[in-house]
Each structure stands twice: as C-alpha cells, then as structure tokens.
Amino acid sequence: VKFVDEFRDADLGQAVAAEILSLVEPGRHYKLMEVCGGHTHSIYKYGVDDLLPANVELVHGPGCPVCVIPMGRVDDGIALAHEPGVIFTCFGDMMRVPGSRGSLLEAKAAGADVRMVYSPLDALRIAKQNADREVVFFAIGFETTAPSTALTLMRARTEGIANFSCMCNHVTIVPPVRALLESPDLRLDGFIGPGHVSTIVGARPFEFIPADYGKPVVIAGFEPLDLLQAVAMILRQVAAGRAEVENQYTRVVPYEGNLRALQVMAEVFELRPHFEWRGLGFISHSGLAISERFADLDAERRFSVPGVRVADPKACQCGEVLKGVIKPWECKVFGTACTPERPIGTCMVSSEGACAAYYNFGRFARQREVV
Amino acid sequence: MKVVAVDAARGLALCADAAGARQSVETALVEPVAPGDRLLVHAGTAIAALASEPR
C-alpha cells in the first residue's frame, strides 16, 4: 500500500539509524518527548527505540486521549448512563477506564445501556433509530477528534435529531505541553510533534516551543521510518544549534492545518476556563465545552451531572508517566496490581497509553545497556 | 480508507478500509471527494485526503 510500505522499509530504517548514530555526541544524553500516544504505540509496536543509540531516550508525553480523563469525569459519565431512558455511547477503550466506583463497562453489567461506537456519527445513528430514548455521546480526544464531534452536533441540528446530546471532554494539546515545559522535573532536548493533531491545527501552534523555550519540534507520521526520520531531524537541529518547527509528515500535515476543521470547532466549542487532567491537575484553557449556540445539545446542561472531583488512586502513578517523569515499569503497580485486564490507571487502558504499550509489547523487563 | 460512493447532499461518503470493512465517513473537511480517493479517517471523519494511488 502506498504511504505504508515505503515507510516500513528495513534497509532505509538501518540507513536512518546509522545517520542518527553519527549525529549524537558520545557522552551526551538526549531526551526527546513524543507528545502523541499514537507515536508511543508505534515506537513499541515496531521497536523503534531498539534502533536508537542508548544515549537517545524517548520520553512519553501526555497525548493519549483516554489516559488524561480524570476519574470525576468517568463518574459523571456513569451517572448519566444510569439516567432513566438514556443510551450512553462512547469509544471502546473509554468503557474500561476506572472511575471511583467502577467503569462504564461495569455500569453496563449493572444494567445501564452503555454502547460502544467507533464515531460520534454512529452515536447519532443510534439516536435516529431510537427516537423514544435519549442518546448521550461521551466525547473525548484532542483536536484530531474534536472536529468529528463538532460536525456531528451540526448534523444533529440540521437533521433535527433532538434526542441526541454530547458530554464534552475534548482537550487541546498546547496547554499541557506548555505546562510540561514549565515543569522543573523534566529536561528535554526536543519534541516529536503529534501527526494527526497537526493535520487539524497545523504546525504554527507549536512555534512557541522553539521561540520561547529553544527546543526543536518535528511533526511526525506514525510508521517506523517516520519516527526514525523525525529523531534524525531533531538531532540535526540540536547538532547545528538550531531550534525550529519542522514537518516530517508532509504527506498529511499542511503547515496551516485544516481551516475548515478549525472553523467548525470554533463554531461548536468554546474554551473552558480550566479542565482537570488525570495526574496533571487543572490546566487553564485546556478543555473544550459546547458553546452557547449548541447549548441544547450539551448533555451537561440537559441532565444534572454531579460534577464531583475525585482524587486519583494513591497507588497509581499515571501523572508521572504522562509527564514523562517515570517510565511505565517504574510505577509501583505496573504489571502487578495494574494490568490491561484489570487496570488501575488510565495509561494501562488505552492502546495509546504508555503502560499498555510497554505491557502488550513485552518490554517491561528490559534494561537498556549503557554505551 | 478508499471512497466507494459519495452522498454529496448529506456530506457523507461510504469508504472501505484495506480489509474491505465499510463505514460512513463525514467528508466536510476534505470536500470535494470522488470514488477512488484515499482519505485519512479519524473517528468517522475524513481529516485529510491523500494523493491517489498510481494506476
């Protein structure tokens, strides 16, 4: 398949790996953060990190949509799912995220009508087919997914589907990245920028990273060669003393993003003053709410939502994992009390979560040799 | 995914993935689309159009 095969070519991969080796200074340790959970998944699926020199470390960032949902929001969703007459819809991995008293999947087992969908459009179709029921869609995701929710709300409006509403948990990528850069815990040498978020927002929103913090950013695709090439491009910048935003994923990402997507998002959503992130706490202007114009389709206004804040479980270190402060296997409960079958933390739930990626691809026992 | 059929009036396209599984996809962000086009689909919405496969 075009755009897939050539980005999995083993010989080319070895050539880029050799270039990376030639770019690093021995004795210097490089820490690069891949912001996006999709990248984390690809890195472990294809073993990209095995092709890197030992002094180039990939640190996993906060860009996993399921991982950043705080427990309180899950509890609120479960409360909605138990409302009489409600069909509650959400993405599959969201169903397994533990709240303070169980997950949506457990709510379903207890009798709530919770259904898995692949897209908000599927949820809207369920609303159409069940005119006597209230259908709520639990929307999560970064700017990649937010336009999809926005378009579905606009479609609900134009097609006159009144029994559909949305509980909005959409978040934006720049505020948590800025929070990480401000954090004293972490010293990074550069960022692998998110590929599909950038398809929507473009490269411009990341320009503050080189401008204000002097760190290179390379927006990358999701195939193994994309990631290797992005690492090489970052190291080239570091070696030359440059810091700028570069786009490795030009086959999909235009520098200015998708203007139509930004337009529909602006129409349907507004920024929340602050939003809670799992393990990261409240971050200003980091979450999206449904705007006044679409208020009638906002589940949080249509139903009464408890809106309780629940602290993360003590044993869980998802916050440190999401900030890249610790590696998944350094968490006290990794692979013992917390597994993909019985997750305690969100990072073990989603396939994009760093813990699930480590666990599923069998990389939890490995110690890297030091050069 | 590859576009199989287009419903321009509703802004939807029927698309098939490499395994042949079909799905309705929102096309508002990448219009116009035509059968045979390759789209990058995320959560039921096409977020980018890819260059066509050479024939």
Side-chain angles (χ1 to χ4, degrees), chain A residues 210-244:
Chain A
D212 299 350
Y213 299 91
K215 312 284 186 198
V217 179
V218 175
I219 293 162
F222 294 84
E223 296 299 334
L225 266 176
D226 287 321
L227 289 158
L228 282 173
Q229 199 184 0
V231 170
M233 287 167 78
I234 294 171
L235 293 174
R236 264 182 242 151
Q237 288 198 38
V238 173
R242 284 185 295 131
E244 51 198 70

Coordinates of all heavy atoms in Angstrom, one line a residue, chain A residues 210-244:
Chain A
P210 N 10.1 26.3 20.1 CA 11.5 26.9 19.8 C 11.6 28.3 20.1 O 12.7 28.8 20.7 CB 11.6 26.7 18.2 CG 10.3 26.4 17.7 CD 9.4 25.8 18.9
A211 N 10.5 29.1 19.9 CA 10.6 30.6 20.2 C 10.8 30.9 21.7 O 11.7 31.7 22.0 CB 9.4 31.3 19.7
D212 N 10.0 30.2 22.6 CA 10.1 30.6 24.0 C 11.0 29.7 24.8 O 11.5 30.1 25.8 CB 8.7 30.5 24.6 CG 7.7 31.5 24.0 OD1 8.2 32.3 23.2 OD2 6.5 31.4 24.3
Y213 N 11.2 28.5 24.3 CA 12.0 27.5 25.1 C 13.2 27.0 24.4 O 14.0 26.2 25.0 CB 11.1 26.3 25.5 CG 9.9 26.8 26.4 CD1 8.7 27.1 25.8 CD2 10.0 26.9 27.8 CE1 7.6 27.5 26.6 CE2 9.0 27.3 28.5 CZ 7.8 27.6 27.9 OH 6.7 28.1 28.7
G214 N 13.4 27.4 23.1 CA 14.6 27.0 22.4 C 14.7 25.5 22.1 O 15.9 25.0 22.0
K215 N 13.6 24.8 22.0 CA 13.6 23.4 21.7 C 13.1 23.1 20.3 O 12.1 23.6 19.9 CB 12.8 22.6 22.7 CG 12.9 22.9 24.2 CD 14.2 22.4 24.7 CE 14.2 22.6 26.2 NZ 15.6 22.5 26.8
P216 N 13.8 22.2 19.6 CA 13.3 21.8 18.3 C 12.0 20.9 18.4 O 11.8 20.2 19.3 CB 14.4 20.9 17.7 CG 15.4 20.8 18.7 CD 15.0 21.5 19.9
V217 N 11.1 21.1 17.4 CA 9.9 20.3 17.2 C 9.9 19.7 15.8 O 10.1 20.5 14.9 CB 8.6 21.1 17.4 CG1 7.4 20.3 17.3 CG2 8.6 21.8 18.8
V218 N 9.7 18.4 15.7 CA 9.5 17.8 14.4 C 8.2 17.0 14.4 O 8.0 16.1 15.1 CB 10.7 16.9 13.9 CG1 10.4 16.2 12.6 CG2 12.0 17.7 13.8
I219 N 7.2 17.5 13.6 CA 5.9 16.8 13.5 C 6.1 15.6 12.6 O 6.7 15.6 11.5 CB 4.9 17.8 12.8 CG1 4.6 18.9 13.8 CG2 3.6 17.0 12.5 CD1 4.0 20.1 13.1
A220 N 5.6 14.4 13.1 CA 6.0 13.2 12.5 C 4.8 12.3 12.2 O 3.7 12.4 12.9 CB 7.0 12.4 13.4
G221 N 4.9 11.4 11.3 CA 3.9 10.4 11.0 C 4.1 9.2 11.9 O 4.9 9.2 12.8
F222 N 3.3 8.1 11.6 CA 3.2 7.0 12.6 C 3.8 5.7 12.2 O 3.8 4.7 12.9 CB 1.7 6.8 12.9 CG 1.1 8.0 13.6 CD1 0.6 9.1 12.9 CD2 1.1 8.0 15.0 CE1 0.1 10.2 13.5 CE2 0.6 9.2 15.6 CZ 0.1 10.2 14.9
E223 N 4.5 5.7 11.0 CA 5.2 4.5 10.6 C 6.6 4.5 11.2 O 7.1 5.6 11.5 CB 5.3 4.4 9.1 CG 3.9 4.3 8.4 CD 3.1 3.0 8.8 OE1 3.8 2.0 9.1 OE2 1.9 3.1 8.7
P224 N 7.3 3.4 11.3 CA 8.6 3.4 11.9 C 9.6 4.3 11.3 O 10.3 5.0 12.0 CB 9.0 1.9 11.8 CG 8.0 1.2 11.0 CD 6.8 2.0 11.0
L225 N 9.6 4.4 10.0 CA 10.6 5.3 9.3 C 10.2 6.8 9.6 O 11.1 7.6 9.7 CB 10.6 5.1 7.8 CG 11.7 4.1 7.4 CD1 11.6 3.9 5.9 CD2 13.1 4.7 7.7
D226 N 8.9 7.1 9.7 CA 8.6 8.4 10.1 C 9.2 8.8 11.4 O 9.8 9.9 11.5 CB 7.0 8.5 10.3 CG 6.2 8.5 9.0 OD1 6.7 9.0 8.0 OD2 5.2 7.8 9.0
L227 N 9.1 7.9 12.4 CA 9.6 8.2 13.7 C 11.2 8.3 13.7 O 11.7 9.2 14.3 CB 9.1 7.2 14.7 CG 7.6 7.3 15.0 CD1 7.0 6.1 15.5 CD2 7.4 8.5 15.9
L228 N 11.8 7.4 13.0 CA 13.3 7.4 12.9 C 13.7 8.7 12.2 O 14.7 9.4 12.7 CB 13.8 6.2 12.1 CG 13.9 4.9 12.9 CD1 14.2 3.8 11.9 CD2 14.9 5.0 14.0
Q229 N 13.0 9.1 11.2 CA 13.4 10.3 10.4 C 13.2 11.5 11.3 O 14.1 12.4 11.3 CB 12.6 10.4 9.1 CG 13.3 11.3 8.2 CD 12.4 11.5 6.9 OE1 11.3 11.0 6.8 NE2 13.0 12.3 6.0
A230 N 12.1 11.5 12.1 CA 11.9 12.7 13.0 C 13.0 12.8 14.0 O 13.5 13.9 14.3 CB 10.5 12.5 13.6
V231 N 13.4 11.7 14.6 CA 14.5 11.7 15.5 C 15.8 12.3 14.9 O 16.5 13.1 15.4 CB 14.8 10.3 16.1 CG1 16.1 10.3 16.9 CG2 13.6 9.8 17.0
A232 N 16.1 11.8 13.7 CA 17.2 12.3 12.9 C 17.1 13.8 12.7 O 18.1 14.6 12.9 CB 17.4 11.6 11.6
M233 N 15.9 14.3 12.3 CA 15.7 15.7 12.1 C 15.9 16.5 13.3 O 16.5 17.6 13.3 CB 14.3 16.0 11.5 CG 14.2 15.5 10.0 SD 12.5 15.4 9.4 CE 12.2 17.1 9.1
I234 N 15.4 16.0 14.5 CA 15.6 16.7 15.8 C 17.1 16.8 16.1 O 17.6 17.9 16.4 CB 14.8 16.1 16.9 CG1 13.3 16.2 16.7 CG2 15.2 16.7 18.2 CD1 12.5 15.3 17.7
L235 N 17.8 15.7 15.9 CA 19.2 15.6 16.3 C 20.1 16.5 15.4 O 21.0 17.1 15.8 CB 19.7 14.2 16.3 CG 19.1 13.3 17.4 CD1 19.6 11.8 17.2 CD2 19.5 13.8 18.8
R236 N 19.6 16.6 14.1 CA 20.3 17.5 13.2 C 20.2 19.0 13.7 O 21.1 19.7 13.7 CB 19.7 17.4 11.8 CG 20.5 16.5 10.8 CD 19.8 16.5 9.5 NE 19.3 15.2 9.1 CZ 18.3 15.0 8.3 NH1 17.6 15.9 7.8 NH2 18.0 13.7 8.0
Q237 N 19.0 19.3 14.1 CA 18.8 20.7 14.7 C 19.6 20.9 15.9 O 20.3 21.9 16.0 CB 17.3 20.9 15.1 CG 16.4 21.0 13.9 CD 15.0 21.6 14.3 OE1 15.0 22.5 15.2 NE2 13.9 21.2 13.7
V238 N 19.6 19.9 16.8 CA 20.4 20.0 18.0 C 21.9 20.2 17.7 O 22.6 21.1 18.2 CB 20.2 18.8 19.0 CG1 21.2 18.9 20.2 CG2 18.8 18.7 19.4
A239 N 22.4 19.3 16.7 CA 23.8 19.4 16.4 C 24.2 20.7 15.8 O 25.3 21.2 16.0 CB 24.1 18.3 15.4
A240 N 23.2 21.3 15.0 CA 23.5 22.6 14.3 C 23.2 23.8 15.2 O 23.3 24.9 14.8 CB 22.8 22.7 13.0
G241 N 22.7 23.5 16.4 CA 22.3 24.6 17.3 C 21.1 25.4 16.9 O 20.9 26.5 17.2
R242 N 20.3 24.7 16.1 CA 19.0 25.3 15.6 C 17.9 24.8 16.5 O 17.9 23.8 17.1 CB 18.7 24.8 14.2 CG 19.5 25.5 13.1 CD 19.0 25.0 11.7 NE 19.1 23.6 11.5 CZ 18.2 22.8 11.1 NH1 17.0 23.2 10.8 NH2 18.4 21.5 10.9
A243 N 16.8 25.7 16.5 CA 15.5 25.2 17.1 C 14.4 25.8 16.3 O 14.2 27.0 16.3 CB 15.4 25.7 18.6
E244 N 13.7 24.9 15.6 CA 12.5 25.4 14.8 C 11.5 24.3 14.7 O 11.8 23.1 15.1 CB 13.0 25.9 13.5 CG 13.9 24.9 12.7 CD 14.7 25.6 11.6 OE1 15.6 26.3 11.9 OE2 14.3 25.3 10.4

